[in-house]
C-alpha cells in the first residue's frame, strides 16, 4: 500500500475512510457466510452515513474514537488475508527452480526449452519437447 506512514499528514476524510475500510475488513474476518456479512456491513454503512453530516468537532472526534475502540476491541485473532497478499495462503507460492537448471549440463537452458513433470510419487520426471 502506498499510504504515508504518519497519520498526522492525513486529512480527516482520509482517516475516516481508512477507519471505515478497516471496520469492513474486521466484519468480513468474523463472518464466513455472505448472508451474515451483508447485514453486518449494512449496519456499519448506516452508522457511518448517519454520522457523516455531523459538524461539531468534539462529537466528530468522539465518533472517530468510538470507531478506533471498536476496531481494537473486535479485532479478529486470525484476520482474513487476501490470498496473494503478504501473509496470504498463495503469497510467493512459486515452485523453486530445480537445482539441475543451475548446475551441470542443463545450466543454460530456459524453462521454455526444458521443464519438469511430476509423477504420482512426487518425483520429478524429465520432459524435453
Amino acid at each position: 500500500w502506498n499510504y504515508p506512514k504518519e497519520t498526522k499528514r492525513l486529512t480527516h476524510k482520509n482517516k475516516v475512510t481508512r477507519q471505515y475500510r478497516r471496520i469492513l475488513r474486521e466484519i468480513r474476518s468474523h463472518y464466513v457466510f455472505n448472508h451474515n456479512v451483508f447485514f453486518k456491513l449494512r449496519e456499519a454503512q448506516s452508522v457511518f452515513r448517519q454520522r457523516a453530516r455531523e459538524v461539531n468537532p468534539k462529537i466528530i472526534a468522539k465518533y472517530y474514537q468510538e470507531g478506533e475502540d471498536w476496531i481494537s476491541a473486535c479485532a479478529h485473532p486470525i484476520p482474513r488475508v487476501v490470498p496473494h497478499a503478504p501473509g496470504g495462503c498463495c503469497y510467493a507460492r512459486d515452485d523453486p527452480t530445480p537445482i539441475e537448471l543451475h548446475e551441470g549440463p542443463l545450466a543454460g537452458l530456459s524453462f521454455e526449452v526444458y521443464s519438469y513433470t511430476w509423477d504420482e510419487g512426487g518425483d520429478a520426471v524429465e520432459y524435453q519437447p
Side-chain angles (χ1 to χ4, degrees):
W1 301 65
N2 294 325
Y3 292 139
K5 296 279 182 184
E6 299 177 19
T7 57
K8 294 177 186 176
R9 297 180 185 175
L10 296 175
T11 64
H12 175 72
K13 180 180 177 181
N14 289 346
K15 288 180 183 179
V16 172
T17 302
R18 287 183 181 185
Q19 184 184 63
Y20 179 66
R21 289 177 181 169
R22 286 193 326 240
I23 287 175
L24 296 183
R25 281 191 212 109
E26 284 298 326
I27 290 172
R28 285 190 202 110
S29 292
H30 281 281
Y31 296 96
V32 177
F33 300 107
N34 285 337
H35 62 278
N36 292 338
V37 170
F38 176 76
F39 292 114
K40 294 297 181 179
L41 293 176
R42 284 300 221 172
E43 288 176 17
Q45 182 184 35
S46 67
V47 168
F48 271 83
R49 285 190 176 177
Q50 288 171 0
R51 296 177 175 187
R53 305 230 186 271
E54 186 60 52
V55 293
N56 187 345
K58 291 182 181 180
I59 295 176
I60 291 172
K62 180 183 146 227
Y63 287 161
Y64 184 79
Q65 189 58 43
E66 284 178 7
E68 291 296 320
D69 293 341
W70 186 91
I71 291 171
S72 62
C74 297
H76 196 281
I78 307 171
R80 185 179 226 174
V81 180
V82 178
H84 294 286
C89 62
C90 295
Y91 181 69
R93 192 188 258 184
D94 298 327
D95 291 333
T97 307
I99 295 174
E100 291 83 7
L101 293 180
H102 297 288
E103 302 171 350
L106 303 175
L109 298 178
S110 67
F111 280 107
E112 291 78 30
V113 176
Y114 183 86
S115 63
Y116 278 104
T117 57
W118 308 95
D119 63 6
E120 293 86 21
D123 297 323
V125 179
E126 289 185 291
Y127 169 74
Q128 290 187 1

